[in-house]
């Protein structure tokens, strides 16, 4: 893709303040609209065979997993120009947040997710303290003209609680950021095809780091 406009420094200030104060941030819009459009076009054109877990499994692991989540996913890779444009934006995001919060974010992994009609993802945490180097979760929604009665809302819970603190409609361009270890969340059953990109900023894995 051609060069894209970056989010403003003032937008990163706002995100950093929200993360420091509350641990999460919900933005109706963050990335350039032409990038959101290109990402949507790409994910909507992928077919079942391009996603993981697209087949119908029969073993116990699949059954267990399937009772918790029913989305299909596909990793973004930098050899695709549209994926790369998104990955580049998130590299800038990483530096901007590190400059403000000294979080030591080291890298970023992300996948497209497709929830077919009827699919959900039950309440879960993306990372457990000391067991994962995922520290900051992002979700970008790619659904034009979403209606509240299409379902598919993201519910964010207060830490260690049954209290829902945010209900997010997966509207086109909405971008959510939260601390991975702190906020349980779930995806309510979606009645329409629902597309998103979920991503995780990670700390450096001490086992992978070169010895000094
Ligand atoms: C996830 C997740 C939320 C969403 O992939 O871990 O919680 O709204 N996704 O797609
Ligand atoms: Mn999650």
């Amino acid at each position: 893709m051609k060069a894209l406009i970056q989010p403003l420094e003032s937008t990163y200030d706002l995100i950093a303040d929200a993360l420091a104060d509350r641990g999460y941030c919900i933005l109706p819009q963050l990335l350039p609209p032409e990038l959101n459009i290109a990402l949507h076009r790409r994910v909507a054109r992928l077919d079942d065979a391009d996603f993981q877990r697209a087949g119908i499994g029969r073993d116990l692991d699949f059954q267990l997993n399937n009772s918790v989540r029913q989305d299909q996913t596909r990793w973004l890779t930098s050899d695709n120009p549209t994926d790369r444009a998104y990955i580049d934006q998130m590299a800038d995001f990483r530096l901007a947040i590190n400059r403000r919060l000294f979080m030591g974010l080291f890298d970023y992994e992300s996948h497209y997710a497709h929830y077919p009609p009827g699919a959900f993802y039950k309440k879960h945490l993306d990372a457990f303290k000391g067991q994962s180097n995922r520290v900051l979760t992002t979700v970008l929604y790619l659904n034009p003209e979403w209606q509240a009665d299409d379902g598919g809302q993201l519910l964010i819970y207060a830490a260690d609680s049954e209290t829902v603190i945010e209900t997010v409609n997966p509207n086109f361009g909405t971008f959510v950021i939260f601390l991975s270890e702190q906020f349980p969340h779930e995806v309510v059953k979606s009645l329409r095809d629902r597309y998103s990109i979920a991503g995780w900023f990670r700390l450096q894995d001490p086992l992978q780091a070169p010895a000094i």
Side-chain angles (χ1 to χ4, degrees):
M1 286 187 73
K2 67 176 172 50
L4 293 165
I5 306 215
Q6 301 295 323
L8 300 170
E9 291 298 313
S10 59
T11 304
Y12 288 128
D13 290 342
L14 186 144
I15 295 169
D17 286 348
L19 290 177
D21 292 348
R22 292 179 297 158
Y24 70 91
C25 182
I26 300 165
L27 300 160
Q29 208 59 245
L30 175 68
L31 303 179
E34 63 264 45
L35 177 57
N36 290 334
I37 291 166
L39 292 165
H40 171 258
R41 190 171 302 146
R42 171 150 163 74
V43 70
R45 284 183 185 168
L46 294 171
D47 58 39
D48 269 5
D50 296 321
F51 288 94
Q52 282 165 281
R53 293 175 31 83
I56 308 291
R58 294 198 187 277
D59 58 56
L60 188 60
D61 264 4
F62 178 86
Q63 298 299 337
L64 283 176
N65 208 6
N66 197 49
S67 67
V68 176
R69 66 184 296 181
Q70 299 176 333
D71 56 330
Q72 308 173 347
T73 62
R74 178 192 171 96
W75 294 105
L76 277 74
T77 55
S78 52
D79 54 13
N80 174 278
T82 305
D83 291 9
R84 189 169 60 243
Y86 177 79
I87 291 167
D88 287 350
Q89 293 266 324
M90 298 321 286
D92 288 333
F93 183 108
R94 184 173 69 79
L95 296 177
I97 296 303
N98 277 343
R99 254 183 252 121
R100 289 165 175 79
L101 295 179
F102 308 101
M103 287 183 74
L105 306 177
F106 178 71
D107 64 5
Y108 182 71
E109 57 186 353
S110 54
H111 63 210
Y112 294 104
H114 169 220
Y115 290 69
F120 54 80
Y121 192 161
K122 293 213 172 128
K123 186 179 176 194
H124 66 280
L125 273 173
D126 285 349
F128 295 92
K129 269 205 172 55
Q131 291 181 27
S132 164
N133 53 357
R134 288 179 169 180
V135 283
L136 193 62
T137 300
T138 65
V139 194
L140 167 66
Y141 295 107
L142 298 170
N143 305 293
E145 293 170 47
W146 197 265
Q147 307 294 320
D149 59 11
D150 292 329
Q153 285 81 14
L154 170 74
L155 306 183
I156 302 177
Y157 292 81
D160 304 319
S161 125
E162 294 299 318
T163 310
V164 174
I165 50 173
E166 297 287 347
T167 300
V168 184
N169 278 304
N171 294 332
F172 194 74
T174 293
F175 197 91
V176 178
I177 309 142
F178 58 87
L179 297 175
S180 308
E181 293 170 350
Q182 278 193 23
F183 296 96
H185 54 283
E186 75 172 274
V187 178
V188 175
K189 192 209 270 191
S190 180
L191 302 179
R192 262 175 62 182
D193 287 300
R194 174 192 192 270
Y195 298 105
S196 58
I197 297 176
W200 297 272
F201 289 102
R202 303 186 302 185
L203 300 179
Q204 187 164 23
D205 181 345
L207 297 174
Q208 299 286 320
I212 312 169

